[in-house]
Amino acid sequence: MAAKQIQYEKTQALIADGDRALELIGRAIRMAGYRNINTSTVSSKKVDTKQFILVEKKSGYRGSDFLKTHHGLSGQADLDCIGNTMTSDRTKHQMAYQGFLVERQAGIPKGAKVNGGSLICQSLDRQGRIQNTTLMNGVNTLNIEEMDSSHAARSGEQKLYRIRLQMTDGRSLNVDLERTFATRNLL
């Protein structure tokens, strides 16, 4: 009975961490391509939406995908994926950046059992350089799939992305989580 309770609590902790990660990734997808009309210097020009959201397939730990997003500042209290307030000094060319990838866990002694990989959040520091911050450990894979991209590109609709995240305790538990997010600003 105690073993079942421990397994249940570990499963719930993995689900909570995974849900938090999916919400952060979803927020980045929804913000991708946002341009403040009051500060945008390219508002009248046709902009290539491919520069605002990019998925690099199988470029991370265990074949995980890498998501990169760019967006403008809203003039409100914008936060990056680790909770830093985004200001103009945390941008490049007036565009904020967020990235999500899975890397091998750092700081693991040789011979120790690896508990999956680490979900890394990339954002810009105050000098506009990319900084990597570990959001959580215990991530087996992160898969990002663009859905119906040919239909959305032709009709000018939002793009949909299916995010699959597999969390693990490194032993017997593997929890698969999946959500679909739509862009809001790439029209």
Side-chain angles (χ1 to χ4, degrees):
M1 180 79 141
K4 287 285 187 191
Q5 180 65 27
I6 291 170
Q7 183 176 9
Y8 174 77
E9 289 175 4
K10 282 183 179 180
T11 301
Q12 293 305 309
L14 289 174
I15 290 171
D17 281 349
D19 283 342
R20 185 175 134 250
L22 289 171
E23 282 302 314
L24 291 169
I25 293 168
R27 184 176 67 183
I29 289 170
R30 288 187 299 268
M31 285 296 297
Y34 174 80
R35 293 176 303 264
N36 188 329
I37 197 162
N38 296 326
T39 60
S40 179
T41 58
V42 292
S43 59
S44 61
K45 297 179 186 174
K46 184 72 174 168
V47 178
D48 182 13
T49 60
K50 291 178 187 175
Q51 70 181 348
F52 295 120
I53 190 163
L54 176 68
V55 176
E56 291 182 11
K57 302 298 282 179
K58 300 188 183 297
S59 63
Y61 180 69
R62 292 187 177 159
S64 290
D65 299 335
F66 183 7
L67 174 71
K68 300 176 183 182
T69 66
H70 290 87
H71 65 86
L73 298 179
S74 69
Q76 304 295 319
D78 296 325
L79 301 175
D80 67 6
C81 47
I82 56 174
N84 292 327
T85 301
M86 288 192 246
T87 56
S88 60
D89 57 346
R90 290 185 180 270
T91 64
K92 272 192 180 174
H93 309 290
Q94 287 75 45
M95 297 299 283
Y97 167 79
Q98 291 187 81
F100 296 91
L101 68 148
V102 179
E103 290 184 345
R104 182 175 177 80
Q105 279 189 32
I108 301 294
K110 288 187 179 182
K113 177 83 171 137
V114 176
N115 181 18
S118 297
L119 181 64
I120 305 295
C121 161
Q122 290 187 333
S123 60
L124 299 176
D125 66 10
R126 292 182 187 263
Q127 287 76 39
R129 299 177 302 217
I130 292 178
Q131 63 182 1
N132 289 335
T133 305
T134 301
L135 289 176
M136 64 191 63
N137 294 320
V139 178
N140 250 356
T141 57
L142 170 65
N143 294 317
I144 303 161
E145 175 186 349
E146 185 176 350
M147 301 169 57
D148 298 324
S149 60
S150 61
H151 172 69
R154 279 182 281 150
S155 63
E157 295 175 6
Q158 299 172 329
K159 292 184 179 185
L160 295 175
Y161 291 89
R162 179 182 298 144
I163 311 299
R164 292 186 179 126
L165 188 66
Q166 185 182 65
M167 305 292 293
T168 184
D169 71 344
R171 292 178 181 81
S172 60
L173 289 178
N174 288 315
V175 177
D176 295 317
L177 302 167
E178 178 180 311
R179 290 220 194 127
T180 302
F181 299 101
T183 58
R184 292 183 180 167
N185 303 297
L186 298 180
L187 302 175

PDB file of all heavy atoms in Angstrom, residues 2 7-8 10 34 36-38 40 46 53 66 79 87 96-97 120 122 129 135 159 186:
ATOM      1  N   ALA A   2       1.924   1.270   0.792  1.00  0.00           N
ATOM      2  CA  ALA A   2       2.815   2.431   0.856  1.00  0.00           C
ATOM      3  C   ALA A   2       3.520   2.651  -0.478  1.00  0.00           C
ATOM      4  O   ALA A   2       3.706   3.799  -0.905  1.00  0.00           O
ATOM      5  CB  ALA A   2       3.838   2.256   1.965  1.00  0.00           C
ATOM      6  N   GLN A   7       4.200   5.840  -5.467  1.00  0.00           N
ATOM      7  CA  GLN A   7       4.113   5.903  -6.930  1.00  0.00           C
ATOM      8  C   GLN A   7       3.067   6.934  -7.355  1.00  0.00           C
ATOM      9  O   GLN A   7       3.288   7.706  -8.292  1.00  0.00           O
ATOM     10  CB  GLN A   7       3.785   4.534  -7.508  1.00  0.00           C
ATOM     11  CG  GLN A   7       3.760   4.524  -9.021  1.00  0.00           C
ATOM     12  CD  GLN A   7       3.524   3.129  -9.588  1.00  0.00           C
ATOM     13  OE1 GLN A   7       3.217   2.182  -8.860  1.00  0.00           O
ATOM     14  NE2 GLN A   7       3.667   3.009 -10.888  1.00  0.00           N
ATOM     15  N   TYR A   8       1.924   6.972  -6.674  1.00  0.00           N
ATOM     16  CA  TYR A   8       0.883   7.945  -6.986  1.00  0.00           C
ATOM     17  C   TYR A   8       1.390   9.374  -6.779  1.00  0.00           C
ATOM     18  O   TYR A   8       1.173  10.248  -7.622  1.00  0.00           O
ATOM     19  CB  TYR A   8      -0.354   7.689  -6.108  1.00  0.00           C
ATOM     20  CG  TYR A   8      -1.422   8.735  -6.271  1.00  0.00           C
ATOM     21  CD1 TYR A   8      -2.253   8.729  -7.386  1.00  0.00           C
ATOM     22  CD2 TYR A   8      -1.591   9.734  -5.317  1.00  0.00           C
ATOM     23  CE1 TYR A   8      -3.232   9.695  -7.553  1.00  0.00           C
ATOM     24  CE2 TYR A   8      -2.567  10.708  -5.472  1.00  0.00           C
ATOM     25  CZ  TYR A   8      -3.380  10.687  -6.586  1.00  0.00           C
ATOM     26  OH  TYR A   8      -4.332  11.651  -6.759  1.00  0.00           O
ATOM     27  N   LYS A  10       4.514  10.448  -6.810  1.00  0.00           N
ATOM     28  CA  LYS A  10       5.516  10.756  -7.833  1.00  0.00           C
ATOM     29  C   LYS A  10       4.841  11.074  -9.171  1.00  0.00           C
ATOM     30  O   LYS A  10       5.242  12.003  -9.866  1.00  0.00           O
ATOM     31  CB  LYS A  10       6.483   9.581  -8.015  1.00  0.00           C
ATOM     32  CG  LYS A  10       7.528   9.468  -6.954  1.00  0.00           C
ATOM     33  CD  LYS A  10       8.473   8.321  -7.282  1.00  0.00           C
ATOM     34  CE  LYS A  10       9.557   8.176  -6.268  1.00  0.00           C
ATOM     35  NZ  LYS A  10      10.472   7.063  -6.606  1.00  0.00           N
ATOM     36  N   TYR A  34       4.080  38.627 -31.903  1.00  0.00           N
ATOM     37  CA  TYR A  34       3.406  39.839 -31.442  1.00  0.00           C
ATOM     38  C   TYR A  34       4.278  41.060 -31.754  1.00  0.00           C
ATOM     39  O   TYR A  34       5.482  41.056 -31.549  1.00  0.00           O
ATOM     40  CB  TYR A  34       3.137  39.780 -29.933  1.00  0.00           C
ATOM     41  CG  TYR A  34       2.580  41.076 -29.402  1.00  0.00           C
ATOM     42  CD1 TYR A  34       1.240  41.383 -29.555  1.00  0.00           C
ATOM     43  CD2 TYR A  34       3.400  42.010 -28.786  1.00  0.00           C
ATOM     44  CE1 TYR A  34       0.723  42.579 -29.099  1.00  0.00           C
ATOM     45  CE2 TYR A  34       2.903  43.209 -28.331  1.00  0.00           C
ATOM     46  CZ  TYR A  34       1.563  43.492 -28.486  1.00  0.00           C
ATOM     47  OH  TYR A  34       1.064  44.683 -28.038  1.00  0.00           O
ATOM     48  N   ASN A  36       4.004  45.308 -31.158  1.00  0.00           N
ATOM     49  CA  ASN A  36       3.271  46.439 -30.596  1.00  0.00           C
ATOM     50  C   ASN A  36       3.116  47.487 -31.686  1.00  0.00           C
ATOM     51  O   ASN A  36       4.107  47.971 -32.234  1.00  0.00           O
ATOM     52  CB  ASN A  36       4.033  46.993 -29.393  1.00  0.00           C
ATOM     53  CG  ASN A  36       3.252  48.038 -28.638  1.00  0.00           C
ATOM     54  OD1 ASN A  36       2.454  48.781 -29.215  1.00  0.00           O
ATOM     55  ND2 ASN A  36       3.489  48.094 -27.343  1.00  0.00           N
ATOM     56  N   ILE A  37       1.898  47.822 -31.999  1.00  0.00           N
ATOM     57  CA  ILE A  37       1.631  48.749 -33.095  1.00  0.00           C
ATOM     58  C   ILE A  37       2.224  50.136 -32.835  1.00  0.00           C
ATOM     59  O   ILE A  37       2.589  50.850 -33.754  1.00  0.00           O
ATOM     60  CB  ILE A  37       0.114  48.830 -33.385  1.00  0.00           C
ATOM     61  CG1 ILE A  37      -0.113  49.432 -34.751  1.00  0.00           C
ATOM     62  CG2 ILE A  37      -0.618  49.614 -32.312  1.00  0.00           C
ATOM     63  CD1 ILE A  37      -1.483  49.161 -35.309  1.00  0.00           C
ATOM     64  N   ASN A  38       2.355  50.507 -31.567  1.00  0.00           N
ATOM     65  CA  ASN A  38       2.891  51.824 -31.230  1.00  0.00           C
ATOM     66  C   ASN A  38       4.407  51.901 -31.350  1.00  0.00           C
ATOM     67  O   ASN A  38       4.957  52.971 -31.536  1.00  0.00           O
ATOM     68  CB  ASN A  38       2.484  52.215 -29.811  1.00  0.00           C
ATOM     69  CG  ASN A  38       0.994  52.363 -29.682  1.00  0.00           C
ATOM     70  OD1 ASN A  38       0.320  52.795 -30.617  1.00  0.00           O
ATOM     71  ND2 ASN A  38       0.462  51.983 -28.533  1.00  0.00           N
ATOM     72  N   SER A  40       6.269  49.472 -33.296  1.00  0.00           N
ATOM     73  CA  SER A  40       6.741  48.683 -34.429  1.00  0.00           C
ATOM     74  C   SER A  40       7.217  49.586 -35.565  1.00  0.00           C
ATOM     75  O   SER A  40       6.504  50.460 -36.024  1.00  0.00           O
ATOM     76  CB  SER A  40       5.633  47.758 -34.938  1.00  0.00           C
ATOM     77  OG  SER A  40       6.095  47.020 -36.031  1.00  0.00           O
ATOM     78  N   LYS A  46       5.448  43.925 -45.119  1.00  0.00           N
ATOM     79  CA  LYS A  46       5.086  42.514 -45.024  1.00  0.00           C
ATOM     80  C   LYS A  46       6.227  41.792 -44.309  1.00  0.00           C
ATOM     81  O   LYS A  46       7.382  41.890 -44.708  1.00  0.00           O
ATOM     82  CB  LYS A  46       4.878  41.940 -46.432  1.00  0.00           C
ATOM     83  CG  LYS A  46       4.410  40.520 -46.435  1.00  0.00           C
ATOM     84  CD  LYS A  46       2.971  40.429 -45.993  1.00  0.00           C
ATOM     85  CE  LYS A  46       2.487  39.008 -46.139  1.00  0.00           C
ATOM     86  NZ  LYS A  46       1.236  38.775 -45.499  1.00  0.00           N
ATOM     87  N   ILE A  53       8.614  32.023 -35.159  1.00  0.00           N
ATOM     88  CA  ILE A  53       8.525  30.724 -34.495  1.00  0.00           C
ATOM     89  C   ILE A  53       9.244  29.687 -35.360  1.00  0.00           C
ATOM     90  O   ILE A  53       9.022  29.610 -36.557  1.00  0.00           O
ATOM     91  CB  ILE A  53       7.055  30.337 -34.213  1.00  0.00           C
ATOM     92  CG1 ILE A  53       6.993  29.124 -33.310  1.00  0.00           C
ATOM     93  CG2 ILE A  53       6.273  30.151 -35.477  1.00  0.00           C
ATOM     94  CD1 ILE A  53       5.624  28.935 -32.665  1.00  0.00           C
ATOM     95  N   PHE A  66      13.456  21.420 -30.525  1.00  0.00           N
ATOM     96  CA  PHE A  66      13.878  22.703 -29.978  1.00  0.00           C
ATOM     97  C   PHE A  66      12.939  23.763 -30.536  1.00  0.00           C
ATOM     98  O   PHE A  66      12.773  23.891 -31.742  1.00  0.00           O
ATOM     99  CB  PHE A  66      15.322  22.956 -30.409  1.00  0.00           C
ATOM    100  CG  PHE A  66      15.970  24.210 -29.881  1.00  0.00           C
ATOM    101  CD1 PHE A  66      15.377  25.021 -28.939  1.00  0.00           C
ATOM    102  CD2 PHE A  66      17.217  24.575 -30.354  1.00  0.00           C
ATOM    103  CE1 PHE A  66      15.996  26.165 -28.466  1.00  0.00           C
ATOM    104  CE2 PHE A  66      17.852  25.717 -29.888  1.00  0.00           C
ATOM    105  CZ  PHE A  66      17.235  26.504 -28.951  1.00  0.00           C
ATOM    106  N   LEU A  79       6.664  38.841 -19.080  1.00  0.00           N
ATOM    107  CA  LEU A  79       7.593  37.973 -18.362  1.00  0.00           C
ATOM    108  C   LEU A  79       8.128  36.925 -19.306  1.00  0.00           C
ATOM    109  O   LEU A  79       7.419  36.442 -20.182  1.00  0.00           O
ATOM    110  CB  LEU A  79       6.888  37.291 -17.190  1.00  0.00           C
ATOM    111  CG  LEU A  79       6.263  38.200 -16.139  1.00  0.00           C
ATOM    112  CD1 LEU A  79       5.506  37.369 -15.119  1.00  0.00           C
ATOM    113  CD2 LEU A  79       7.320  39.041 -15.459  1.00  0.00           C
ATOM    114  N   THR A  87      12.307  43.721 -20.635  1.00  0.00           N
ATOM    115  CA  THR A  87      12.436  45.140 -20.923  1.00  0.00           C
ATOM    116  C   THR A  87      13.200  45.283 -22.229  1.00  0.00           C
ATOM    117  O   THR A  87      13.703  44.301 -22.777  1.00  0.00           O
ATOM    118  CB  THR A  87      13.191  45.859 -19.791  1.00  0.00           C
ATOM    119  OG1 THR A  87      14.466  45.216 -19.616  1.00  0.00           O
ATOM    120  CG2 THR A  87      12.411  45.793 -18.472  1.00  0.00           C
ATOM    121  N   ALA A  96      11.788  40.162 -28.209  1.00  0.00           N
ATOM    122  CA  ALA A  96      12.125  39.252 -27.119  1.00  0.00           C
ATOM    123  C   ALA A  96      12.277  37.843 -27.683  1.00  0.00           C
ATOM    124  O   ALA A  96      11.700  37.512 -28.717  1.00  0.00           O
ATOM    125  CB  ALA A  96      11.035  39.292 -26.056  1.00  0.00           C
ATOM    126  N   TYR A  97      13.038  37.014 -27.000  1.00  0.00           N
ATOM    127  CA  TYR A  97      13.317  35.660 -27.457  1.00  0.00           C
ATOM    128  C   TYR A  97      13.041  34.683 -26.323  1.00  0.00           C
ATOM    129  O   TYR A  97      13.363  34.957 -25.165  1.00  0.00           O
ATOM    130  CB  TYR A  97      14.784  35.557 -27.880  1.00  0.00           C
ATOM    131  CG  TYR A  97      15.269  34.142 -28.078  1.00  0.00           C
ATOM    132  CD1 TYR A  97      14.965  33.445 -29.234  1.00  0.00           C
ATOM    133  CD2 TYR A  97      16.016  33.496 -27.106  1.00  0.00           C
ATOM    134  CE1 TYR A  97      15.399  32.143 -29.416  1.00  0.00           C
ATOM    135  CE2 TYR A  97      16.455  32.196 -27.272  1.00  0.00           C
ATOM    136  CZ  TYR A  97      16.143  31.527 -28.432  1.00  0.00           C
ATOM    137  OH  TYR A  97      16.564  30.230 -28.605  1.00  0.00           O
ATOM    138  N   ILE A 120      15.286  23.039 -20.625  1.00  0.00           N
ATOM    139  CA  ILE A 120      16.012  24.308 -20.567  1.00  0.00           C
ATOM    140  C   ILE A 120      15.154  25.396 -21.196  1.00  0.00           C
ATOM    141  O   ILE A 120      14.568  25.205 -22.262  1.00  0.00           O
ATOM    142  CB  ILE A 120      17.355  24.213 -21.338  1.00  0.00           C
ATOM    143  CG1 ILE A 120      18.195  23.039 -20.820  1.00  0.00           C
ATOM    144  CG2 ILE A 120      18.113  25.525 -21.286  1.00  0.00           C
ATOM    145  CD1 ILE A 120      18.655  23.162 -19.404  1.00  0.00           C
ATOM    146  N   GLN A 122      15.482  29.173 -22.679  1.00  0.00           N
ATOM    147  CA  GLN A 122      16.422  30.192 -23.140  1.00  0.00           C
ATOM    148  C   GLN A 122      15.689  31.527 -23.216  1.00  0.00           C
ATOM    149  O   GLN A 122      14.558  31.606 -23.692  1.00  0.00           O
ATOM    150  CB  GLN A 122      16.978  29.865 -24.523  1.00  0.00           C
ATOM    151  CG  GLN A 122      17.911  28.703 -24.545  1.00  0.00           C
ATOM    152  CD  GLN A 122      18.550  28.536 -25.911  1.00  0.00           C
ATOM    153  OE1 GLN A 122      18.001  28.921 -26.933  1.00  0.00           O
ATOM    154  NE2 GLN A 122      19.725  27.932 -25.924  1.00  0.00           N
ATOM    155  N   ARG A 129      22.174  38.813 -24.536  1.00  0.00           N
ATOM    156  CA  ARG A 129      22.783  37.509 -24.812  1.00  0.00           C
ATOM    157  C   ARG A 129      21.863  36.394 -24.345  1.00  0.00           C
ATOM    158  O   ARG A 129      21.128  36.544 -23.376  1.00  0.00           O
ATOM    159  CB  ARG A 129      24.121  37.382 -24.081  1.00  0.00           C
ATOM    160  CG  ARG A 129      25.147  38.415 -24.498  1.00  0.00           C
ATOM    161  CD  ARG A 129      26.387  38.259 -23.676  1.00  0.00           C
ATOM    162  NE  ARG A 129      26.041  38.396 -22.259  1.00  0.00           N
ATOM    163  CZ  ARG A 129      26.799  38.991 -21.348  1.00  0.00           C
ATOM    164  NH1 ARG A 129      27.956  39.502 -21.683  1.00  0.00           N
ATOM    165  NH2 ARG A 129      26.412  39.077 -20.094  1.00  0.00           N
ATOM    166  N   LEU A 135      14.584  24.602 -16.163  1.00  0.00           N
ATOM    167  CA  LEU A 135      13.246  24.710 -15.584  1.00  0.00           C
ATOM    168  C   LEU A 135      12.931  23.509 -14.709  1.00  0.00           C
ATOM    169  O   LEU A 135      12.334  23.642 -13.648  1.00  0.00           O
ATOM    170  CB  LEU A 135      12.184  24.813 -16.674  1.00  0.00           C
ATOM    171  CG  LEU A 135      12.126  26.108 -17.457  1.00  0.00           C
ATOM    172  CD1 LEU A 135      11.083  26.020 -18.552  1.00  0.00           C
ATOM    173  CD2 LEU A 135      11.820  27.266 -16.532  1.00  0.00           C
ATOM    174  N   LYS A 159      -1.536  29.100 -36.778  1.00  0.00           N
ATOM    175  CA  LYS A 159      -0.834  27.829 -36.852  1.00  0.00           C
ATOM    176  C   LYS A 159      -1.081  27.083 -35.558  1.00  0.00           C
ATOM    177  O   LYS A 159      -1.162  27.672 -34.488  1.00  0.00           O
ATOM    178  CB  LYS A 159       0.671  28.063 -37.027  1.00  0.00           C
ATOM    179  CG  LYS A 159       1.027  28.651 -38.360  1.00  0.00           C
ATOM    180  CD  LYS A 159       2.528  28.759 -38.495  1.00  0.00           C
ATOM    181  CE  LYS A 159       2.893  29.325 -39.845  1.00  0.00           C
ATOM    182  NZ  LYS A 159       4.344  29.330 -40.048  1.00  0.00           N
ATOM    183  N   LEU A 186       0.380  35.570 -35.746  1.00  0.00           N
ATOM    184  CA  LEU A 186       1.076  35.314 -37.012  1.00  0.00           C
ATOM    185  C   LEU A 186       0.169  35.493 -38.218  1.00  0.00           C
ATOM    186  O   LEU A 186       0.417  34.953 -39.275  1.00  0.00           O
ATOM    187  CB  LEU A 186       1.669  33.903 -37.019  1.00  0.00           C
ATOM    188  CG  LEU A 186       2.718  33.637 -35.965  1.00  0.00           C
ATOM    189  CD1 LEU A 186       3.227  32.203 -36.059  1.00  0.00           C
ATOM    190  CD2 LEU A 186       3.876  34.595 -36.077  1.00  0.00           C
TER     191      LEU A 186
END
